[in-house]
Amino acid sequence: MAEVGIFVGTMYGNALLVAEEAQTILGEHGHSATVFEDPEPADWDAYKDKYALVVTSTTGQGDLPDSIVPLFQYIRDKIGYQPALRYCVIALGDSTYTNFCGGGKQFDALLQEQSAQRVGDVLLIDASEDPEPESVSNPWVEHWATLLK
């Protein structure tokens, strides 16, 4: 089955919780999934022709959490074109703030620019409506797992 790298950007742990739940669900579907809580460029490079699931919260004015900014900058500045990558994004945010889910949307836009192939639709989770993000992400991951080859 598929090999999935789960790349996490988190401030308070919600994105990490979602990522760990996703890892379990993907494993139950026969996929191999690894969570990278503080993702490094070498971690990303190992999945460039596999699957990447970016799970990130949003901070400040729609920014990425500090833990994933170096990876984002590496992908933006050093990688460029990556058509062999298949990916998706789970974005956590709060719709009471401007730039709702801005961190995840930035990541998706970057990967689209680089010709990576999105598998499925980006999931936007609103903390003001769903205080337990895994209640929204788990059914999404169950479906996403069926799209992987």
Side-chain angles (χ1 to χ4, degrees):
M1 296 301 270
E3 288 183 58
V4 182
I6 304 174
F7 300 89
V8 181
T10 193
M11 289 290 295
Y12 303 112
N14 283 339
L16 180 59
L17 172 65
V18 167
E20 290 170 341
E21 294 268 336
Q23 179 182 33
T24 299
I25 293 166
L26 290 167
E28 290 168 354
H29 283 265
H31 302 299
S32 169
T34 303
V35 172
F36 297 98
E37 184 176 352
D38 291 306
E40 303 275 334
D43 301 328
W44 187 266
D45 290 343
Y47 287 87
K48 64 184 174 188
D49 58 351
K50 298 173 184 154
Y51 289 90
L53 178 60
V54 176
V55 181
T56 187
S57 57
T58 300
T59 66
Q61 299 300 309
D63 299 322
L64 289 161
D66 290 344
S67 64
I68 202 165
V69 167
L71 179 66
F72 181 87
Q73 292 170 337
Y74 168 75
I75 294 166
R76 182 190 65 209
D77 299 340
K78 304 286 186 199
I79 293 185
Y81 188 62
Q82 51 181 336
L85 176 70
R86 288 154 297 175
Y87 80 96
C88 208
V89 175
I90 297 175
L92 288 78
D94 187 329
S95 64
T96 62
Y97 291 91
T98 313
N99 302 315
F100 170 61
C101 287
K105 290 176 181 177
Q106 282 184 55
F107 232 108
D108 179 54
L110 174 64
L111 296 175
Q112 285 288 292
E113 261 177 44
Q114 296 182 338
S115 297
Q117 302 302 306
R118 186 182 336 123
V119 177
D121 294 324
V122 173
L123 176 62
L124 306 177
I125 301 176
D126 186 351
S128 65
E129 291 184 16
D130 297 297
E132 295 179 358
E134 68 279 6
S135 67
V136 177
S137 64
N138 286 357
W140 182 94
V141 173
E142 288 280 352
H143 172 71
W144 193 68
T146 67
L147 303 177
L148 308 183
K149 297 178 175 145

